[in-house]
Amino acid sequence: MAMSAAHVLVIAGSDSSGGAGLARDIETISALGMKTCLAVTAVTVQTHEAVERIDLCPSELVEAQISAALSANPVAAIKIGMLGSRKTVTRVAAVLRAHADIPIVLDPVIASSSGRALLAEDAIETMRESLMPLCSLVTPNLPELALLAGEEETESEARRHEQAGRLLGGGVRALLAKGGHAEGNRAVDTLFQANKPPLRFEGPRLPGTMRGTGCMLASAIAASLARGDTLETSVRTAKTYLSERWRTG
């Protein structure tokens, strides 16, 4: 695929195993024909089974990287992953507030698939109030949706809709609730947008497991938005990419 001159700025942490984080982001964005520039928020020591060490980058260093990337490249979309601390969330929100014309996709990385906390507890409220309203789309999984809404995780679809509605009422523009943690043979992601009916993206639950799917999905959406696609088209493109990537291993 020919590479576009436009860039997707990725603000995220590294994963030494290559199974998630920046490695997945760059791989995905490149596969969709876009270039990448980076702001590294954390260096982690990981295997495919566990997170062994996390070293967070200083928040002022993260801010400086973002400013440099934005000044050096024609950034057409921004993808945010792991932020780690309240200070970093605050600094990222502050610098991005001056770039409201660029679509932003936030994957609110709160914990690793092995259960290790990747976002400080005191950062969740700051993320919800300061950063999420700046974003074009937030892509929580179901446990993250509940945490961001300040509630317990639920198996009730109606309750999940209420949780999403609470976040939309707090200023979030759009939210894609990922159904990978739910039960059943069908996997359902639901796109919530203010003043629009929820839109379901449903497909068969694929066998096996793959790390970094949240990173890949958010990065693919950001790459599609960078090409000028609508939000709904971008979600469909990302879902198709992720399904094909899952099948090929």
Side-chain angles (χ1 to χ4, degrees), residues 9-86:
L9 168 58
V10 178
I11 305 168
S14 71
D15 175 353
S16 52
S17 74
L22 288 169
R24 289 295 202 192
D25 296 326
I26 296 169
E27 167 192 301
T28 300
I29 292 165
S30 177
L32 292 173
M34 305 299 295
K35 295 182 179 179
T36 308
C37 50
L38 305 173
V40 182
T41 61
V43 177
T44 72
V45 179
Q46 297 190 50
T47 66
H48 292 303
E49 287 74 40
V51 180
E52 299 176 358
R53 177 174 171 176
I54 300 172
D55 284 6
L56 297 179
C57 294
S59 58
E60 63 271 18
L61 177 59
V62 176
E63 181 180 11
Q65 291 178 83
I66 295 170
S67 296
L70 287 167
S71 66
N73 304 293
V75 173
I78 298 170
K79 184 266 180 174
I80 304 174
M82 177 183 177
L83 295 177
S85 71
R86 182 179 59 80

Side-chain angles (χ1 to χ4, degrees), residues 165-184:
R166 185 168 292 109
L167 293 172
L168 291 176
V172 175
R173 301 183 208 174
L175 185 147
L176 182 68
K178 300 177 294 191
H181 286 75
E183 300 294 331

Side-chain angles (χ1 to χ4, degrees), residues 4-10 29 33-37 69-70 72-79 99-105 136 219 221-229 234:
S4 168
H7 286 62
V8 177
L9 168 58
V10 178
I29 292 165
M34 305 299 295
K35 295 182 179 179
T36 308
C37 50
L70 287 167
N73 304 293
V75 173
I78 298 170
K79 184 266 180 174
H99 297 276
D101 57 321
I102 302 176
I104 301 171
V105 179
S136 307
S219 291
I221 294 171
S224 187
L225 289 172
R227 296 188 310 205
D229 294 337
S234 296

